[in-house]
Amino acid sequence: MPTGDLLVNEPLAAWLPGLLAALGLFLALMLLRALLLRRLEGKTAPNIFARLVKATNSLTGLALALGLGSRFILPPPEYLPYLRLLVIILLGLQITRWVSALIDAYFEKLDSSEAEAEHRIPQRAIASLVKIVVWAIVVLLILENIPYLHISSLITGLGIGGIAVSLAAQKVIADLLSSITIRLDKPFAVGDSISAGGFTGKVELIGLRSTRLRNISGEELTFSNSDLLASPIQNFTRMDERRVQNSLPVSYRNSPAKLEVLPALVRKIVEETPNTRFGSFYLTGLSDLRMRYTLTYYISSREFEAFQQAQNTILLALLGGLKAEGIVLAGGDAEDDFSPTEE
């Protein structure tokens, strides 16, 4: 017997299995949700699973129940598109709730790591933008499944308009996407000391369009996010230790006996300097005018000020030690004498 005739002649017999199955699944899902919520009730810091459970409402159960009920009885063909649309709407609304819960959980974690309220503004703006994109996708999916509604021309128009807008705001979009990349990839964070584009400073703010640094000389530097990511970034805050090399030019007038005490003298000076670890000290070059030794040592502190203090202490101690041992430095270009290389 065709389904349409079954619905007209025996409506109760036709609908009863589907109604019972749908009602049973709906009640089971709601009971499961209530039990999970009760179990998670005492947790002060809910995890991702707890947030997803709390974001689940009766719409999901209703959509799944309708889907199961339609397996037992097939409505008339003219009603199928509307049933499908109803299920898509309910599931779409639930998906937006789940995505919003995940986004809120992620950006709340970022908010808790930022001390100042102004740092939370870009994060909230990014969260709102992602939610808008998810809602737009769900709305387009719903519109596409509305019977007798053709949205191909609408999507084509939106695509052309989107291309025009993206070309006009290409730089702004690139900076915005770069801001999201910085938040997700985290090459640096607020408070880190970094070097980029030939400048060194401490990160003060990561915005939607730009990132602000406080230069070591005191002035504020502003980089667009896309330009900042396009250049190599050195993050000094994440260093375990700082490697430093010094070139020591020594005159040929020194006797070999005097030069034999030089490695032990240099090692002792470095090891007695706070926050430093001796690396190596070797004769690395012989030229027409001088011998060249290379000193390598490591500074355990991440602060640039500690690097400068350690280098100052070592160089002054070297000058005093060389003078006490009667070791003569070579003359020549001033920039070559004790020239440090930081790595």
Side-chain angles (χ1 to χ4, degrees), residues 259-273:
L259 295 179
E260 287 180 357
V261 303
L262 190 55
L265 172 66
V266 173
R267 186 185 187 101
K268 180 182 178 182
I269 291 174
V270 173
E271 290 179 345
E272 291 179 351
T273 304

Side-chain angles (χ1 to χ4, degrees), residues 148-168:
Y148 311 111
L149 178 62
H150 302 285
I151 63 169
S152 58
S153 58
L154 175 62
I155 294 177
T156 302
L158 290 176
I160 296 175
I163 293 174
V165 172
S166 62
L167 290 176

